[in-house]
PDB file of all heavy atoms in Angstrom:
ATOM      1  N   THR A  11      97.611 -74.804  45.288  1.00  0.00           N
ATOM      2  CA  THR A  11      96.943 -75.525  44.202  1.00  0.00           C
ATOM      3  C   THR A  11      97.749 -75.332  42.926  1.00  0.00           C
ATOM      4  O   THR A  11      98.120 -74.213  42.578  1.00  0.00           O
ATOM      5  CB  THR A  11      95.516 -74.976  44.005  1.00  0.00           C
ATOM      6  OG1 THR A  11      94.818 -75.111  45.239  1.00  0.00           O
ATOM      7  CG2 THR A  11      94.800 -75.718  42.906  1.00  0.00           C
ATOM      8  N   HIS A  12      98.003 -76.407  42.240  1.00  0.00           N
ATOM      9  CA  HIS A  12      98.738 -76.317  40.969  1.00  0.00           C
ATOM     10  C   HIS A  12      97.881 -75.641  39.909  1.00  0.00           C
ATOM     11  O   HIS A  12      96.664 -75.775  39.898  1.00  0.00           O
ATOM     12  CB  HIS A  12      99.131 -77.715  40.483  1.00  0.00           C
ATOM     13  CG  HIS A  12     100.173 -78.360  41.321  1.00  0.00           C
ATOM     14  ND1 HIS A  12     101.478 -77.972  41.292  1.00  0.00           N
ATOM     15  CD2 HIS A  12     100.088 -79.350  42.233  1.00  0.00           C
ATOM     16  CE1 HIS A  12     102.179 -78.707  42.132  1.00  0.00           C
ATOM     17  NE2 HIS A  12     101.352 -79.554  42.728  1.00  0.00           N
ATOM     18  N   ASN A  13      98.514 -74.957  39.041  1.00  0.00           N
ATOM     19  CA  ASN A  13      97.838 -74.232  37.965  1.00  0.00           C
ATOM     20  C   ASN A  13      97.805 -75.119  36.711  1.00  0.00           C
ATOM     21  O   ASN A  13      98.308 -74.755  35.659  1.00  0.00           O
ATOM     22  CB  ASN A  13      98.584 -72.914  37.715  1.00  0.00           C
ATOM     23  CG  ASN A  13      97.801 -71.958  36.856  1.00  0.00           C
ATOM     24  OD1 ASN A  13      96.682 -72.221  36.475  1.00  0.00           O
ATOM     25  ND2 ASN A  13      98.404 -70.844  36.540  1.00  0.00           N
ATOM     26  N   TRP A  14      97.188 -76.285  36.833  1.00  0.00           N
ATOM     27  CA  TRP A  14      97.192 -77.247  35.738  1.00  0.00           C
ATOM     28  C   TRP A  14      96.506 -76.702  34.490  1.00  0.00           C
ATOM     29  O   TRP A  14      96.972 -76.943  33.367  1.00  0.00           O
ATOM     30  CB  TRP A  14      96.494 -78.551  36.159  1.00  0.00           C
ATOM     31  CG  TRP A  14      97.188 -79.263  37.275  1.00  0.00           C
ATOM     32  CD1 TRP A  14      96.679 -79.501  38.524  1.00  0.00           C
ATOM     33  CD2 TRP A  14      98.506 -79.803  37.282  1.00  0.00           C
ATOM     34  NE1 TRP A  14      97.606 -80.154  39.297  1.00  0.00           N
ATOM     35  CE2 TRP A  14      98.747 -80.357  38.560  1.00  0.00           C
ATOM     36  CE3 TRP A  14      99.527 -79.880  36.348  1.00  0.00           C
ATOM     37  CZ2 TRP A  14      99.934 -80.973  38.920  1.00  0.00           C
ATOM     38  CZ3 TRP A  14     100.723 -80.493  36.704  1.00  0.00           C
ATOM     39  CH2 TRP A  14     100.916 -81.024  37.962  1.00  0.00           C
ATOM     40  N   HIS A  15      95.410 -75.988  34.667  1.00  0.00           N
ATOM     41  CA  HIS A  15      94.675 -75.506  33.490  1.00  0.00           C
ATOM     42  C   HIS A  15      95.521 -74.551  32.646  1.00  0.00           C
ATOM     43  O   HIS A  15      95.431 -74.559  31.428  1.00  0.00           O
ATOM     44  CB  HIS A  15      93.349 -74.859  33.895  1.00  0.00           C
ATOM     45  CG  HIS A  15      93.498 -73.660  34.778  1.00  0.00           C
ATOM     46  ND1 HIS A  15      93.797 -73.741  36.116  1.00  0.00           N
ATOM     47  CD2 HIS A  15      93.414 -72.354  34.498  1.00  0.00           C
ATOM     48  CE1 HIS A  15      93.873 -72.526  36.621  1.00  0.00           C
ATOM     49  NE2 HIS A  15      93.641 -71.674  35.666  1.00  0.00           N
ATOM     50  N   ALA A  16      96.366 -73.755  33.281  1.00  0.00           N
ATOM     51  CA  ALA A  16      97.236 -72.861  32.512  1.00  0.00           C
ATOM     52  C   ALA A  16      98.282 -73.663  31.744  1.00  0.00           C
ATOM     53  O   ALA A  16      98.613 -73.321  30.596  1.00  0.00           O
ATOM     54  CB  ALA A  16      97.908 -71.846  33.420  1.00  0.00           C
ATOM     55  N   ASN A  17      98.794 -74.721  32.351  1.00  0.00           N
ATOM     56  CA  ASN A  17      99.760 -75.571  31.650  1.00  0.00           C
ATOM     57  C   ASN A  17      99.114 -76.282  30.465  1.00  0.00           C
ATOM     58  O   ASN A  17      99.705 -76.384  29.395  1.00  0.00           O
ATOM     59  CB  ASN A  17     100.373 -76.599  32.614  1.00  0.00           C
ATOM     60  CG  ASN A  17     101.337 -75.967  33.582  1.00  0.00           C
ATOM     61  OD1 ASN A  17     102.121 -75.106  33.207  1.00  0.00           O
ATOM     62  ND2 ASN A  17     101.282 -76.382  34.827  1.00  0.00           N
ATOM     63  N   VAL A  18      97.892 -76.760  30.647  1.00  0.00           N
ATOM     64  CA  VAL A  18      97.174 -77.409  29.550  1.00  0.00           C
ATOM     65  C   VAL A  18      96.906 -76.397  28.433  1.00  0.00           C
ATOM     66  O   VAL A  18      97.112 -76.689  27.250  1.00  0.00           O
ATOM     67  CB  VAL A  18      95.858 -78.046  30.059  1.00  0.00           C
ATOM     68  CG1 VAL A  18      94.996 -78.515  28.896  1.00  0.00           C
ATOM     69  CG2 VAL A  18      96.162 -79.203  31.000  1.00  0.00           C
ATOM     70  N   ALA A  19      96.444 -75.197  28.795  1.00  0.00           N
ATOM     71  CA  ALA A  19      96.168 -74.158  27.795  1.00  0.00           C
ATOM     72  C   ALA A  19      97.433 -73.776  27.032  1.00  0.00           C
ATOM     73  O   ALA A  19      97.405 -73.607  25.802  1.00  0.00           O
ATOM     74  CB  ALA A  19      95.548 -72.936  28.458  1.00  0.00           C
ATOM     75  N   LEU A  20      98.536 -73.639  27.746  1.00  0.00           N
ATOM     76  CA  LEU A  20      99.809 -73.320  27.093  1.00  0.00           C
ATOM     77  C   LEU A  20     100.200 -74.417  26.117  1.00  0.00           C
ATOM     78  O   LEU A  20     100.622 -74.145  24.988  1.00  0.00           O
ATOM     79  CB  LEU A  20     100.909 -73.115  28.138  1.00  0.00           C
ATOM     80  CG  LEU A  20     102.308 -72.841  27.598  1.00  0.00           C
ATOM     81  CD1 LEU A  20     102.342 -71.554  26.785  1.00  0.00           C
ATOM     82  CD2 LEU A  20     103.311 -72.785  28.741  1.00  0.00           C
ATOM     83  N   ASN A  21     100.034 -75.661  26.540  1.00  0.00           N
ATOM     84  CA  ASN A  21     100.370 -76.795  25.685  1.00  0.00           C
ATOM     85  C   ASN A  21      99.522 -76.787  24.412  1.00  0.00           C
ATOM     86  O   ASN A  21     100.033 -76.988  23.304  1.00  0.00           O
ATOM     87  CB  ASN A  21     100.154 -78.091  26.472  1.00  0.00           C
ATOM     88  CG  ASN A  21     101.096 -79.184  26.073  1.00  0.00           C
ATOM     89  OD1 ASN A  21     101.997 -78.976  25.276  1.00  0.00           O
ATOM     90  ND2 ASN A  21     100.884 -80.357  26.634  1.00  0.00           N
ATOM     91  N   ILE A  22      98.220 -76.557  24.556  1.00  0.00           N
ATOM     92  CA  ILE A  22      97.317 -76.522  23.400  1.00  0.00           C
ATOM     93  C   ILE A  22      97.690 -75.374  22.463  1.00  0.00           C
ATOM     94  O   ILE A  22      97.735 -75.543  21.238  1.00  0.00           O
ATOM     95  CB  ILE A  22      95.853 -76.402  23.867  1.00  0.00           C
ATOM     96  CG1 ILE A  22      95.412 -77.705  24.541  1.00  0.00           C
ATOM     97  CG2 ILE A  22      94.929 -76.044  22.702  1.00  0.00           C
ATOM     98  CD1 ILE A  22      94.082 -77.604  25.261  1.00  0.00           C
ATOM     99  N   SER A  23      97.964 -74.190  23.026  1.00  0.00           N
ATOM    100  CA  SER A  23      98.287 -73.040  22.175  1.00  0.00           C
ATOM    101  C   SER A  23      99.620 -73.242  21.452  1.00  0.00           C
ATOM    102  O   SER A  23      99.752 -72.873  20.282  1.00  0.00           O
ATOM    103  CB  SER A  23      98.296 -71.745  22.985  1.00  0.00           C
ATOM    104  OG  SER A  23      99.330 -71.752  23.932  1.00  0.00           O
ATOM    105  N   LEU A  24     100.586 -73.824  22.126  1.00  0.00           N
ATOM    106  CA  LEU A  24     101.878 -74.067  21.460  1.00  0.00           C
ATOM    107  C   LEU A  24     101.743 -75.110  20.352  1.00  0.00           C
ATOM    108  O   LEU A  24     102.348 -74.970  19.290  1.00  0.00           O
ATOM    109  CB  LEU A  24     102.923 -74.502  22.486  1.00  0.00           C
ATOM    110  CG  LEU A  24     103.382 -73.402  23.441  1.00  0.00           C
ATOM    111  CD1 LEU A  24     104.294 -73.974  24.523  1.00  0.00           C
ATOM    112  CD2 LEU A  24     104.059 -72.268  22.703  1.00  0.00           C
ATOM    113  N   LYS A  25     100.925 -76.131  20.581  1.00  0.00           N
ATOM    114  CA  LYS A  25     100.690 -77.136  19.535  1.00  0.00           C
ATOM    115  C   LYS A  25     100.035 -76.481  18.323  1.00  0.00           C
ATOM    116  O   LYS A  25     100.432 -76.739  17.180  1.00  0.00           O
ATOM    117  CB  LYS A  25      99.832 -78.275  20.056  1.00  0.00           C
ATOM    118  CG  LYS A  25      99.623 -79.368  19.016  1.00  0.00           C
ATOM    119  CD  LYS A  25      98.775 -80.490  19.539  1.00  0.00           C
ATOM    120  CE  LYS A  25      98.543 -81.597  18.540  1.00  0.00           C
ATOM    121  NZ  LYS A  25      98.653 -81.335  17.144  1.00  0.00           N
ATOM    122  N   ALA A  26      99.044 -75.631  18.559  1.00  0.00           N
ATOM    123  CA  ALA A  26      98.384 -74.939  17.448  1.00  0.00           C
ATOM    124  C   ALA A  26      99.373 -74.062  16.683  1.00  0.00           C
ATOM    125  O   ALA A  26      99.351 -74.016  15.446  1.00  0.00           O
ATOM    126  CB  ALA A  26      97.211 -74.103  17.975  1.00  0.00           C
ATOM    127  N   LEU A  27     100.239 -73.374  17.409  1.00  0.00           N
ATOM    128  CA  LEU A  27     101.247 -72.513  16.770  1.00  0.00           C
ATOM    129  C   LEU A  27     102.222 -73.335  15.935  1.00  0.00           C
ATOM    130  O   LEU A  27     102.546 -72.971  14.802  1.00  0.00           O
ATOM    131  CB  LEU A  27     101.996 -71.707  17.833  1.00  0.00           C
ATOM    132  CG  LEU A  27     103.071 -70.758  17.338  1.00  0.00           C
ATOM    133  CD1 LEU A  27     102.483 -69.704  16.409  1.00  0.00           C
ATOM    134  CD2 LEU A  27     103.765 -70.096  18.519  1.00  0.00           C
ATOM    135  N   ILE A  28     102.665 -74.452  16.470  1.00  0.00           N
ATOM    136  CA  ILE A  28     103.589 -75.318  15.729  1.00  0.00           C
ATOM    137  C   ILE A  28     102.898 -75.892  14.496  1.00  0.00           C
ATOM    138  O   ILE A  28     103.485 -75.947  13.409  1.00  0.00           O
ATOM    139  CB  ILE A  28     104.140 -76.433  16.650  1.00  0.00           C
ATOM    140  CG1 ILE A  28     105.108 -75.812  17.665  1.00  0.00           C
ATOM    141  CG2 ILE A  28     104.824 -77.534  15.849  1.00  0.00           C
ATOM    142  CD1 ILE A  28     105.485 -76.719  18.810  1.00  0.00           C
ATOM    143  N   ASP A  29     101.623 -76.302  14.658  1.00  0.00           N
ATOM    144  CA  ASP A  29     100.883 -76.840  13.511  1.00  0.00           C
ATOM    145  C   ASP A  29     100.711 -75.798  12.413  1.00  0.00           C
ATOM    146  O   ASP A  29     100.807 -76.115  11.230  1.00  0.00           O
ATOM    147  CB  ASP A  29      99.507 -77.356  13.946  1.00  0.00           C
ATOM    148  CG  ASP A  29      99.581 -78.645  14.763  1.00  0.00           C
ATOM    149  OD1 ASP A  29     100.667 -79.266  14.821  1.00  0.00           O
ATOM    150  OD2 ASP A  29      98.551 -79.014  15.365  1.00  0.00           O
ATOM    151  N   GLU A  30     100.427 -74.554  12.803  1.00  0.00           N
ATOM    152  CA  GLU A  30     100.255 -73.484  11.816  1.00  0.00           C
ATOM    153  C   GLU A  30     101.583 -73.088  11.193  1.00  0.00           C
ATOM    154  O   GLU A  30     101.655 -72.773  10.010  1.00  0.00           O
ATOM    155  CB  GLU A  30      99.612 -72.259  12.472  1.00  0.00           C
ATOM    156  CG  GLU A  30      99.415 -71.099  11.514  1.00  0.00           C
ATOM    157  CD  GLU A  30      98.789 -69.884  12.161  1.00  0.00           C
ATOM    158  OE1 GLU A  30      98.702 -69.816  13.403  1.00  0.00           O
ATOM    159  OE2 GLU A  30      98.390 -68.970  11.410  1.00  0.00           O
ATOM    160  N   GLY A  31     102.626 -73.083  11.991  1.00  0.00           N
ATOM    161  CA  GLY A  31     103.941 -72.627  11.548  1.00  0.00           C
ATOM    162  C   GLY A  31     104.133 -71.175  11.934  1.00  0.00           C
ATOM    163  O   GLY A  31     103.210 -70.360  11.775  1.00  0.00           O
ATOM    164  N   LEU A  32     105.308 -70.864  12.451  1.00  0.00           N
ATOM    165  CA  LEU A  32     105.583 -69.506  12.914  1.00  0.00           C
ATOM    166  C   LEU A  32     105.393 -68.475  11.812  1.00  0.00           C
ATOM    167  O   LEU A  32     104.760 -67.445  12.027  1.00  0.00           O
ATOM    168  CB  LEU A  32     107.003 -69.403  13.477  1.00  0.00           C
ATOM    169  CG  LEU A  32     107.220 -69.984  14.860  1.00  0.00           C
ATOM    170  CD1 LEU A  32     108.700 -69.900  15.237  1.00  0.00           C
ATOM    171  CD2 LEU A  32     106.380 -69.266  15.888  1.00  0.00           C
ATOM    172  N   GLU A  33     105.949 -68.749  10.647  1.00  0.00           N
ATOM    173  CA  GLU A  33     105.859 -67.778   9.550  1.00  0.00           C
ATOM    174  C   GLU A  33     104.407 -67.523   9.169  1.00  0.00           C
ATOM    175  O   GLU A  33     104.007 -66.376   8.949  1.00  0.00           O
ATOM    176  CB  GLU A  33     106.670 -68.255   8.342  1.00  0.00           C
ATOM    177  CG  GLU A  33     106.911 -67.174   7.309  1.00  0.00           C
ATOM    178  CD  GLU A  33     107.662 -65.969   7.859  1.00  0.00           C
ATOM    179  OE1 GLU A  33     108.559 -66.111   8.702  1.00  0.00           O
ATOM    180  OE2 GLU A  33     107.320 -64.834   7.430  1.00  0.00           O
ATOM    181  N   ASN A  34     103.594 -68.578   9.097  1.00  0.00           N
ATOM    182  CA  ASN A  34     102.175 -68.410   8.772  1.00  0.00           C
ATOM    183  C   ASN A  34     101.455 -67.606   9.849  1.00  0.00           C
ATOM    184  O   ASN A  34     100.581 -66.785   9.539  1.00  0.00           O
ATOM    185  CB  ASN A  34     101.498 -69.766   8.591  1.00  0.00           C
ATOM    186  CG  ASN A  34     101.981 -70.482   7.349  1.00  0.00           C
ATOM    187  OD1 ASN A  34     102.395 -69.861   6.377  1.00  0.00           O
ATOM    188  ND2 ASN A  34     101.948 -71.798   7.381  1.00  0.00           N
ATOM    189  N   SER A  35     101.811 -67.824  11.100  1.00  0.00           N
ATOM    190  CA  SER A  35     101.207 -67.064  12.190  1.00  0.00           C
ATOM    191  C   SER A  35     101.560 -65.580  12.081  1.00  0.00           C
ATOM    192  O   SER A  35     100.700 -64.716  12.248  1.00  0.00           O
ATOM    193  CB  SER A  35     101.663 -67.617  13.536  1.00  0.00           C
ATOM    194  OG  SER A  35     101.153 -66.844  14.592  1.00  0.00           O
ATOM    195  N   PHE A  36     102.821 -65.298  11.773  1.00  0.00           N
ATOM    196  CA  PHE A  36     103.248 -63.897  11.611  1.00  0.00           C
ATOM    197  C   PHE A  36     102.483 -63.237  10.468  1.00  0.00           C
ATOM    198  O   PHE A  36     102.020 -62.101  10.583  1.00  0.00           O
ATOM    199  CB  PHE A  36     104.755 -63.803  11.345  1.00  0.00           C
ATOM    200  CG  PHE A  36     105.616 -64.302  12.470  1.00  0.00           C
ATOM    201  CD1 PHE A  36     106.868 -64.816  12.204  1.00  0.00           C
ATOM    202  CD2 PHE A  36     105.194 -64.262  13.791  1.00  0.00           C
ATOM    203  CE1 PHE A  36     107.685 -65.275  13.233  1.00  0.00           C
ATOM    204  CE2 PHE A  36     106.001 -64.715  14.827  1.00  0.00           C
ATOM    205  CZ  PHE A  36     107.251 -65.219  14.545  1.00  0.00           C
ATOM    206  N   ILE A  37     102.348 -63.951   9.358  1.00  0.00           N
ATOM    207  CA  ILE A  37     101.629 -63.417   8.193  1.00  0.00           C
ATOM    208  C   ILE A  37     100.176 -63.139   8.556  1.00  0.00           C
ATOM    209  O   ILE A  37      99.625 -62.076   8.242  1.00  0.00           O
ATOM    210  CB  ILE A  37     101.738 -64.384   6.997  1.00  0.00           C
ATOM    211  CG1 ILE A  37     103.172 -64.398   6.464  1.00  0.00           C
ATOM    212  CG2 ILE A  37     100.740 -64.027   5.899  1.00  0.00           C
ATOM    213  CD1 ILE A  37     103.465 -65.532   5.489  1.00  0.00           C
ATOM    214  N   ARG A  38      99.512 -64.094   9.212  1.00  0.00           N
ATOM    215  CA  ARG A  38      98.105 -63.935   9.599  1.00  0.00           C
ATOM    216  C   ARG A  38      97.927 -62.711  10.494  1.00  0.00           C
ATOM    217  O   ARG A  38      97.032 -61.894  10.274  1.00  0.00           O
ATOM    218  CB  ARG A  38      97.631 -65.205  10.319  1.00  0.00           C
ATOM    219  CG  ARG A  38      96.230 -65.127  10.868  1.00  0.00           C
ATOM    220  CD  ARG A  38      95.764 -66.493  11.395  1.00  0.00           C
ATOM    221  NE  ARG A  38      96.647 -67.105  12.353  1.00  0.00           N
ATOM    222  CZ  ARG A  38      96.603 -66.897  13.679  1.00  0.00           C
ATOM    223  NH1 ARG A  38      95.707 -66.070  14.182  1.00  0.00           N
ATOM    224  NH2 ARG A  38      97.436 -67.518  14.488  1.00  0.00           N
ATOM    225  N   HIS A  39      98.786 -62.554  11.491  1.00  0.00           N
ATOM    226  CA  HIS A  39      98.682 -61.401  12.390  1.00  0.00           C
ATOM    227  C   HIS A  39      98.893 -60.087  11.638  1.00  0.00           C
ATOM    228  O   HIS A  39      98.175 -59.114  11.857  1.00  0.00           O
ATOM    229  CB  HIS A  39      99.677 -61.523  13.545  1.00  0.00           C
ATOM    230  CG  HIS A  39      99.215 -62.447  14.621  1.00  0.00           C
ATOM    231  ND1 HIS A  39      99.324 -63.812  14.523  1.00  0.00           N
ATOM    232  CD2 HIS A  39      98.626 -62.196  15.809  1.00  0.00           C
ATOM    233  CE1 HIS A  39      98.835 -64.364  15.614  1.00  0.00           C
ATOM    234  NE2 HIS A  39      98.393 -63.407  16.411  1.00  0.00           N
ATOM    235  N   ASN A  40      99.878 -60.054  10.756  1.00  0.00           N
ATOM    236  CA  ASN A  40     100.150 -58.828   9.994  1.00  0.00           C
ATOM    237  C   ASN A  40      99.007 -58.477   9.046  1.00  0.00           C
ATOM    238  O   ASN A  40      98.649 -57.304   8.909  1.00  0.00           O
ATOM    239  CB  ASN A  40     101.468 -58.951   9.226  1.00  0.00           C
ATOM    240  CG  ASN A  40     102.665 -58.838  10.132  1.00  0.00           C
ATOM    241  OD1 ASN A  40     102.647 -58.116  11.127  1.00  0.00           O
ATOM    242  ND2 ASN A  40     103.726 -59.567   9.819  1.00  0.00           N
ATOM    243  N   GLU A  41      98.412 -59.484   8.398  1.00  0.00           N
ATOM    244  CA  GLU A  41      97.304 -59.218   7.470  1.00  0.00           C
ATOM    245  C   GLU A  41      96.075 -58.693   8.215  1.00  0.00           C
ATOM    246  O   GLU A  41      95.425 -57.746   7.763  1.00  0.00           O
ATOM    247  CB  GLU A  41      96.946 -60.490   6.695  1.00  0.00           C
ATOM    248  CG  GLU A  41      97.978 -60.850   5.644  1.00  0.00           C
ATOM    249  CD  GLU A  41      97.696 -62.174   4.937  1.00  0.00           C
ATOM    250  OE1 GLU A  41      96.807 -62.941   5.393  1.00  0.00           O
ATOM    251  OE2 GLU A  41      98.365 -62.436   3.932  1.00  0.00           O
ATOM    252  N   VAL A  42      95.760 -59.299   9.337  1.00  0.00           N
ATOM    253  CA  VAL A  42      94.604 -58.861  10.120  1.00  0.00           C
ATOM    254  C   VAL A  42      94.829 -57.448  10.658  1.00  0.00           C
ATOM    255  O   VAL A  42      93.932 -56.605  10.616  1.00  0.00           O
ATOM    256  CB  VAL A  42      94.306 -59.873  11.251  1.00  0.00           C
ATOM    257  CG1 VAL A  42      93.321 -59.325  12.248  1.00  0.00           C
ATOM    258  CG2 VAL A  42      93.799 -61.179  10.666  1.00  0.00           C
ATOM    259  N   ALA A  43      96.027 -57.194  11.156  1.00  0.00           N
ATOM    260  CA  ALA A  43      96.348 -55.858  11.678  1.00  0.00           C
ATOM    261  C   ALA A  43      96.232 -54.807  10.575  1.00  0.00           C
ATOM    262  O   ALA A  43      95.666 -53.728  10.788  1.00  0.00           O
ATOM    263  CB  ALA A  43      97.751 -55.845  12.279  1.00  0.00           C
ATOM    264  N   ALA A  44      96.757 -55.116   9.398  1.00  0.00           N
ATOM    265  CA  ALA A  44      96.693 -54.164   8.280  1.00  0.00           C
ATOM    266  C   ALA A  44      95.246 -53.882   7.894  1.00  0.00           C
ATOM    267  O   ALA A  44      94.876 -52.726   7.645  1.00  0.00           O
ATOM    268  CB  ALA A  44      97.471 -54.706   7.077  1.00  0.00           C
ATOM    269  N   TYR A  45      94.425 -54.912   7.861  1.00  0.00           N
ATOM    270  CA  TYR A  45      93.016 -54.717   7.532  1.00  0.00           C
ATOM    271  C   TYR A  45      92.339 -53.846   8.584  1.00  0.00           C
ATOM    272  O   TYR A  45      91.632 -52.893   8.244  1.00  0.00           O
ATOM    273  CB  TYR A  45      92.290 -56.063   7.406  1.00  0.00           C
ATOM    274  CG  TYR A  45      90.809 -55.874   7.221  1.00  0.00           C
ATOM    275  CD1 TYR A  45      90.300 -55.516   5.975  1.00  0.00           C
ATOM    276  CD2 TYR A  45      89.932 -56.000   8.284  1.00  0.00           C
ATOM    277  CE1 TYR A  45      88.944 -55.302   5.800  1.00  0.00           C
ATOM    278  CE2 TYR A  45      88.572 -55.787   8.121  1.00  0.00           C
ATOM    279  CZ  TYR A  45      88.085 -55.443   6.881  1.00  0.00           C
ATOM    280  OH  TYR A  45      86.738 -55.212   6.720  1.00  0.00           O
ATOM    281  N   CYS A  46      92.546 -54.181   9.854  1.00  0.00           N
ATOM    282  CA  CYS A  46      91.928 -53.418  10.938  1.00  0.00           C
ATOM    283  C   CYS A  46      92.311 -51.942  10.838  1.00  0.00           C
ATOM    284  O   CYS A  46      91.457 -51.062  10.898  1.00  0.00           O
ATOM    285  CB  CYS A  46      92.362 -53.999  12.288  1.00  0.00           C
ATOM    286  SG  CYS A  46      91.605 -53.196  13.718  1.00  0.00           S
TER     287      CYS A  46
END
Side-chain angles (χ1 to χ4, degrees):
T11 302
H12 291 287
N13 193 3
W14 297 117
H15 61 284
N17 287 319
V18 170
L20 177 62
N21 212 6
I22 290 169
S23 65
L24 289 173
K25 183 180 180 337
L27 180 61
I28 289 167
D29 288 349
E30 179 180 12
L32 284 176
E33 194 59 36
N34 291 332
S35 176
F36 297 152
I37 290 167
R38 175 172 54 88
H39 281 80
N40 286 327
E41 287 175 349
V42 168
Y45 174 78
C46 183

